[in-house]
Amino acid sequence: MKKEKRDLILAFESSCDETSVAVIENGKRILANVVATQINSQKRFGGVVPEVASRHHIEQITICLADAMQRAQITYDDLSAVAVTYGPGLVGALLVGVTAAKAVAFAHHLPLIPVNHMAGHIYAARFAGEIKFPALALLVSGGHTELVYLPKVNCYQIIGETRDDAAGEAYDKVGRVMGIPYPAGKQIDELAHQGKDTFNFPRAMLNEENFDFSFSGLKSAFINTVHHAEQLHQELDQADLAASFQQSVIEVLIGKTAKALKKYFVKQLILAGGVAANTGLRTAFTQTMQQFPQVDFLQAPLNLCGDNAAMIGAAGYVAWKGGQRADLNLNAVPSLEFDWIK
Amino acid sequence: MLKILTKDFAETQRIAQLLARLLQPNDVILLKGDLGVGKTTFTKGLARGLGINHRIKSPTFDIVNEYHQGRMPLYHLDVYRLEETGGSDLGLEEYFNGRGVSVIEWPQFILDDLPATFLLIKILRPTTVIDDSRREIDLLAVGNHYRQQQTKFINLLKKEFPTLTYSLVTDPN
């Protein structure tokens, strides 16, 4: 029997809180995806996090690498290329992954593939199905909220983004006010299902002509409401608060995305990023997509919505196929972003 | 300490924009205030004053956003996420000693890692009225360099905002 040719990508991700190394076969199959995170190992409240410190990444990265190679049951000779997140993120954190990737590429004479972290998030969806171009991606995470147009493979163009806070950040900050521990998204999501939208928080920028978002006003409206009630010694229904907040976020995300789908005739809508794990958002999107029967709806798998190296391997694979290469001068680019659509 | 009362977010931004005129490389501004009080709004004004036309977004997640489009770099730091870990491992001094201006939101979380002199700006809600966008902005200069800057800033305010409400309060200690 003829064996199918295997292209194996070794991928590194260390842009923020997670240190991760993965081995991906043919851009779509995970042989190993090791993620080291400190989210559960540290007690913390409201605030958030992390050992973003590079020291943590340095401690973890070689362990993750050895573990990933072992789980994938491969040797360095089996690899086709090394992919790495080089931005956006925290410079000290990024440099750990970039340096590790360079070391492996140099030692084993492998091509080095630079990957934009955001392209990685989009390609997490590749593990749920094939990406069909032109596509539109809604990326929602703790650090980003953007609508990205993908006219063809390896081409990413921003059509809209948040002007202030990311959607995930709004969840965490509102969570702090409600006394919900970080990360607050999951618990607010669960609470929201038990409550009703009674507070009518603002739906920012929904009626504007652009595709931008704003969640700072919603955050302030929420905080004002809670503080005001505290001053009057009123008890607010936590479930209704959560439901009202979540409904505002969902309506704005869906409203803007639906508007974009009417302007850009795409074959597929991709939902990705940490907040894409929110069940309220997923359900609402699945319903809305019935209005667009001609558009395929692809959601990143739940376990790949957060930061991980598997998604970097998937994006790195298409970049490698497209001939993208970096040399050993590759540096971290903390403020890396996609170009805006012309 | 200089106390300024602004009537809305736009005026808060214009004040910040004016302050930007006086900023020099290596300057460090600590920006304090509750969630949603307008710290990032203030920073947007500073950025505009530095000639940065790029969009200023919340740096909470990435901790540092760098902007190199203006007359000097702006390092916009938000150490909100470092409440329990501090900033000792992050190499923040590279920003403070860099070629630009550092603006640090939630500086109380990295007290051990801050430089000895700085301009502290506190943004407060003067009333308890919901949706009131009036703000009190308190400036406290620590160190000679920042005290001189504050004096120059008061002169600028007199010239550019003759109707603005402000007062000088004796510095605590």
Side-chain angles (χ1 to χ4, degrees), chain A residues 222-258:
Chain A
F222 186 98
I223 293 170
N224 286 341
T225 303
V226 171
H227 283 180
H228 189 62
E230 275 169 8
Q231 278 159 12
L232 301 174
H233 305 288
Q234 282 175 345
E235 253 329 273
L236 297 180
D237 186 295
Q238 293 283 93
D240 287 349
L241 267 178
S244 304
F245 168 78
Q246 174 142 312
Q247 194 54 33
S248 169
V249 173
I250 289 175
E251 272 184 33
V252 170
L253 290 175
I254 289 198
K256 289 284 178 163
T257 307

Side-chain angles (χ1 to χ4, degrees), chain B residues 90-109:
Chain B
L90 287 176
L92 296 176
E93 63 282 359
E94 288 189 33
Y95 291 106
F96 309 153
N97 301 324
R99 280 168 300 180
V101 175
S102 299
V103 174
I104 310 164
E105 300 189 24
W106 299 95
Q108 60 269 42
F109 294 159

Side-chain angles (χ1 to χ4, degrees), chain A:
Chain A
M1 198 173 88
K2 198 181 149 202
K3 213 173 159 193
E4 195 198 345
K5 183 174 154 17
R6 296 211 297 177
D7 280 318
L8 298 183
I9 306 283
L10 176 68
F12 290 89
E13 156 66 35
S14 68
S15 64
C16 202
D17 302 346
E18 273 78 30
T19 321
S20 180
V21 182
V23 179
I24 303 304
E25 184 185 275
N26 298 334
K28 60 187 179 192
R29 193 170 154 240
I30 299 175
L31 299 189
N33 183 32
V34 181
V35 184
T37 173
Q38 294 223 330
I39 285 193
N40 296 316
S41 68
Q42 269 194 20
K43 228 181 156 182
R44 54 178 80 87
F45 53 97
V48 189
V49 206
E51 275 291 324
V52 280
S54 355
R55 177 178 51 78
H56 168 63
H57 289 292
I58 291 170
E59 283 165 7
Q60 296 294 331
I61 199 136
T62 49
I63 300 168
C64 289
L65 172 59
D67 196 15
M69 294 296 286
Q70 197 190 358
R71 286 191 200 195
Q73 295 185 309
I74 57 157
T75 67
Y76 288 107
D77 290 339
D78 300 323
L79 292 171
S80 305
V82 182
V84 63
T85 302
Y86 73 112
L90 199 61
V91 65
L94 287 165
L95 278 171
V96 177
V98 167
T99 308
K102 279 190 205 173
V104 174
F106 177 70
H108 301 282
H109 309 286
L110 292 164
L112 180 64
I113 319 299
V115 177
N116 181 319
H117 180 76
M118 308 316 291
H121 272 304
I122 294 173
Y123 267 82
R126 178 65 187 88
F127 297 107
E130 207 159 319
I131 293 179
K132 296 169 191 160
F133 300 95
L136 182 73
L138 174 66
L139 266 170
V140 250
S141 69
H144 299 270
T145 304
E146 53 195 48
L147 273 167
V148 183
Y149 179 59
L150 293 81
K152 57 183 189 213
V153 71
N154 289 321
C155 186
Y156 307 89
Q157 300 171 331
I158 297 186
I159 62 167
E161 64 167 358
T162 181
R163 293 190 175 175
D164 37 59
D165 298 0
E169 176 184 346
Y171 268 91
D172 288 329
K173 290 193 167 163
V174 157
R176 186 184 177 109
V177 175
M178 295 177 78
I180 295 172
Y182 173 87
K186 195 159 181 247
Q187 213 174 318
I188 292 179
D189 188 16
E190 284 164 6
L191 257 179
H193 287 282
Q194 301 157 28
K196 287 196 193 73
D197 178 9
T198 54
F199 289 94
N200 293 311
F201 290 128
R203 269 71 168 151
M205 305 184 63
L206 200 49
N207 296 319
E208 290 184 24
E209 274 313 299
N210 53 59
F211 299 107
D212 284 343
F213 304 94
S214 165
F215 294 102
S216 173
L218 169 61
K219 175 185 72 182
S220 299
F222 186 98
I223 293 170
N224 286 341
T225 303
V226 171
H227 283 180
H228 189 62
E230 275 169 8
Q231 278 159 12
L232 301 174
H233 305 288
Q234 282 175 345
E235 253 329 273
L236 297 180
D237 186 295
Q238 293 283 93
D240 287 349
L241 267 178
S244 304
F245 168 78
Q246 174 142 312
Q247 194 54 33
S248 169
V249 173
I250 289 175
E251 272 184 33
V252 170
L253 290 175
I254 289 198
K256 289 284 178 163
T257 307
K259 193 181 276 184
L261 286 174
K262 285 172 189 156
K263 179 168 174 190
Y264 298 91
F265 296 99
V266 296
K267 287 191 180 140
Q268 189 174 59
L269 174 71
I270 299 165
L271 182 61
V275 180
N278 183 293
T279 57
L281 185 64
R282 284 186 171 239
T283 310
F285 256 107
T286 307
Q287 281 167 3
T288 303
M289 290 313 287
Q290 289 170 359
Q291 296 166 31
F292 301 92
Q294 75 289 3
V295 181
D296 180 48
F297 182 43
L298 191 65
Q299 306 182 70
L302 274 180
N303 61 331
L304 297 175
C305 283
D307 289 356
N308 64 85
M311 66 187 200
I312 303 303
Y317 174 78
V318 292
W320 173 65
K321 285 274 175 184
Q324 294 181 19
R325 302 287 183 271
D327 62 23
L328 293 176
N329 291 318
L330 179 67
N331 205 348
V333 183
S335 49
L336 183 67
E337 55 191 8
F338 294 138
D339 288 334
W340 276 79
I341 196 161
K342 293 280 173 336

Side-chain angles (χ1 to χ4, degrees), chain B residues 40-111:
Chain B
T40 297
T41 303
F42 188 88
T43 309
K44 285 182 181 188
L46 278 180
R48 199 179 303 156
L50 289 171
I52 295 165
N53 50 20
H54 205 269
R55 190 170 280 176
I56 305 295
K57 288 183 286 184
S58 165
T60 301
F61 197 74
D62 286 334
I63 298 175
V64 187
N65 285 342
E66 301 180 20
Y67 300 93
H68 297 271
Q69 300 86 351
R71 71 177 168 86
M72 70 177 102
L74 172 67
Y75 310 121
H76 185 194
L77 291 87
D78 180 342
V79 295
Y80 178 77
R81 305 204 310 139
L82 303 180
E83 181 168 5
E84 300 196 11
T85 57
S88 58
D89 283 327
L90 287 176
L92 296 176
E93 63 282 359
E94 288 189 33
Y95 291 106
F96 309 153
N97 301 324
R99 280 168 300 180
V101 175
S102 299
V103 174
I104 310 164
E105 300 189 24
W106 299 95
Q108 60 269 42
F109 294 159
I110 55 162
L111 285 181

